Amino acid sequence: MSLVLQSFASDSVLYSFQDAFSSFSNMTHDVPGSKVITRFSNGCLVGNSLRDCGAACQDPSRIFENTATLHNCLYYPSIVQAISEQALDHGSGTIARDYGISAGNVSGATNAVQQCLTDYASSTPKPSKYSSTLCSGSTQALCYDHTNICESVYAPVIEDIAGVGIYTSYWMQNGIALVAFALLRLFDFWIYYVTIAVLGCVRGFERAKVKADWAKQSALRHRVPNLISSLFEFQKAQCFFMIAVQVAAIIIAKRGGFDAKTLQQLSNSYSAITLVAICGYLPVVFTLLNLHGAGQDSWYIIALSTITVVIAGITAFTTKRFVPSTNDLLDLCNVTGSWASCGNRNPTTFCLSHHTVDPFNYSGGAKHIFIFCIVVLSFVVLDKFRS
């Protein structure tokens, strides 16, 4: 079997622990013909940005420093074997030399990865299914079910974005808007018919109708003004609060600062930002619609609500794709662990399961909710112009 090497930087792609081992696992199955192996130019860096897989792949702390190096080191034994068997063409041989790969003892790279994952699995309640045996053949490649390694990955959402208190405040924000809607409908419409239904059988329809009319007028004179005043102040408060939250979310997503311990945790936090964005336009527009229906919306509150919706929309669309900032990725590279065989790093730092990100599909519905809110907001503005 001949090997063909390709080289490019992995900075432009989100390459996870599972991606590295899936690619490696496909490579290790014996299929006749040549194999194409990608080398990541931003992996195996030692010293002054010098690529040397020969040195990096013997040092566990460098192997698990990032997924580019891990990827390169997984293929290291196969490339060394291909060099010894003269199974590389001229171009691939040049790439191998650029990465500091030459014929020699290959057991170090394989054993370093194998020992780290074995120690991690033996000291972790999960994964339950794990094997660290060597594949048959002379490649000495590592074989195991890599998906189970990431089952116990630490991935709670960042507290500052969706902690218990913050998450509760989002639901309270939506709940207050719904309660205000229900009370307005009660005082404006339901109280009349509910009073008739309750008193009609006891006092007769005519007396019940008089009492219902009195109850409705009393509510409109006393209850509704107080409710509208409170709702107006609530709208201002939630707009200023959500503007601050949205701006902070945009800044932290672009500049970094999540202080995540794993790539999965970072991804889950991005997903939570989408929920934050939805809270920035759905309850805001709904509350504004309540005020407009009661005839108590001013141009000030419409302008403030519009600004909030626009900023929340920017948050939703700038974070809809999981693209970690450079600072956050650098922070992940510096995450430490308690496994000496892993160079005191955590091998699951770069685990990322795409199936567990955004389980409620917030990002999928965020765009449609935003479009709906823009349409409703447009009708409110047009109706305000007409009046």
Side-chain angles (χ1 to χ4, degrees):
M1 179 184 69
S2 62
L3 295 181
V4 177
L5 303 185
Q6 296 177 341
S7 177
F8 72 98
S10 65
D11 295 333
S12 59
V13 297
L14 191 59
Y15 203 69
S16 68
F17 180 97
Q18 292 97 317
D19 293 329
F21 280 103
S22 293
S23 174
F24 169 72
S25 178
N26 293 334
M27 164 66 193
T28 55
H29 287 84
D30 291 330
V31 178
S34 61
K35 297 279 188 177
V36 178
I37 295 180
T38 298
R39 310 298 293 169
F40 289 145
S41 60
N42 54 325
C44 296
L45 298 179
V46 296
N48 296 323
S49 300
L50 174 66
R51 287 193 298 269
D52 188 350
C53 289
C57 295
Q58 309 302 319
D59 183 357
S61 65
R62 292 192 180 277
I63 293 175
F64 293 96
E65 184 178 25
N66 55 65
T67 50
T69 300
L70 175 62
H71 170 97
N72 290 348
C73 291
L74 286 173
Y75 287 107
Y76 181 81
S78 299
I79 297 174
V80 171
Q81 179 188 348
I83 293 175
S84 63
E85 295 176 355
Q86 298 183 348
L88 294 179
D89 58 27
H90 177 72
S92 297
T94 301
I95 293 177
R97 288 190 294 273
D98 289 342
Y99 281 82
I101 304 174
S102 59
N105 183 12
V106 303
S107 61
T110 301
N111 291 340
V113 175
Q114 176 177 308
Q115 188 61 51
C116 169
L117 298 182
T118 301
D119 291 346
Y120 172 81
S122 62
S123 63
T124 307
K126 291 183 180 181
S128 57
K129 299 177 181 179
Y130 176 84
S131 63
S132 57
T133 58
L134 295 177
C135 292
S136 59
S138 57
T139 61
Q140 300 187 50
L142 185 68
C143 286
Y144 60 91
D145 185 357
H146 68 275
T147 57
N148 287 306
I149 292 293
C150 292
E151 282 186 1
S152 59
V153 63
Y154 178 82
V157 175
I158 304 300
E159 289 286 331
D160 292 339
I161 297 175
V164 176
I166 299 295
Y167 194 70
T168 301
S169 71
Y170 296 150
W171 282 109
M172 288 181 61
Q173 178 187 353
N174 288 273
I176 291 174
L178 289 172
V179 170
F181 170 78
L183 289 176
L184 284 173
R185 300 288 75 76
L186 172 65
F187 295 144
D188 184 47
F189 180 77
W190 297 336
I191 193 172
Y192 180 81
Y193 293 99
V194 169
T195 303
I196 291 178
V198 172
L199 300 179
C201 299
V202 179
R203 299 186 178 184
F205 178 75
E206 291 300 327
R207 294 183 64 185
K209 185 177 179 181
V210 172
K211 192 67 175 179
D213 187 63
W214 175 86
K216 179 179 179 180
Q217 295 303 320
S218 178
L220 291 176
R221 285 195 304 268
H222 303 290
R223 302 290 184 269
V224 172
N226 293 334
L227 177 60
I228 292 298
S229 177
S230 300
L231 192 60
F232 188 89
E233 295 301 321
F234 167 71
Q235 178 71 345
K236 290 194 298 182
Q238 79 167 342
C239 283
F240 284 120
F241 172 70
M242 291 313 302
I243 287 174
V245 170
Q246 305 301 329
V247 171
I250 294 173
I251 292 175
I252 197 173
K254 294 303 179 182
R255 295 185 180 179
F258 283 99
D259 194 28
K261 302 304 179 184
T262 64
L263 189 62
Q264 187 71 63
Q265 184 185 23
L266 187 61
S267 179
N268 291 349
S269 298
Y270 265 73
S271 178
I273 287 180
T274 304
L275 176 59
V276 173
I278 294 175
C279 290
Y281 47 77
L282 183 57
V284 169
V285 171
F286 185 63
T287 304
L288 179 64
L289 187 62
N290 285 332
L291 289 171
H292 180 74
Q296 299 298 321
D297 55 335
S298 64
W299 282 114
Y300 166 72
I301 204 66
I302 290 177
L304 182 60
S305 302
T306 302
I307 293 172
T308 306
V309 170
V310 170
I311 295 178
I314 293 174
T315 303
F317 285 96
T318 56
T319 60
K320 66 178 180 179
R321 292 182 62 248
F322 178 42
V323 183
S325 68
T326 302
N327 290 334
D328 282 328
L329 290 177
L330 289 175
D331 288 342
L332 289 177
C333 291
N334 294 323
V335 172
T336 59
S338 58
W339 296 272
S341 58
C342 302
N344 293 320
R345 294 185 181 276
N346 188 336
T348 63
T349 296
F350 290 96
C351 282
L352 177 62
S353 174
H354 299 284
H355 298 292
T356 62
V357 177
D358 196 7
F360 299 105
N361 195 27
Y362 294 131
S363 58
K367 179 178 68 174
H368 302 95
I369 297 174
F370 179 74
I371 293 174
F372 173 76
C373 289
I374 289 295
V375 172
V376 174
L377 184 60
S378 299
F379 279 116
V380 170
V381 173
L382 289 175
D383 194 53
K384 183 66 174 178
F385 270 115
R386 291 175 57 187
S387 62

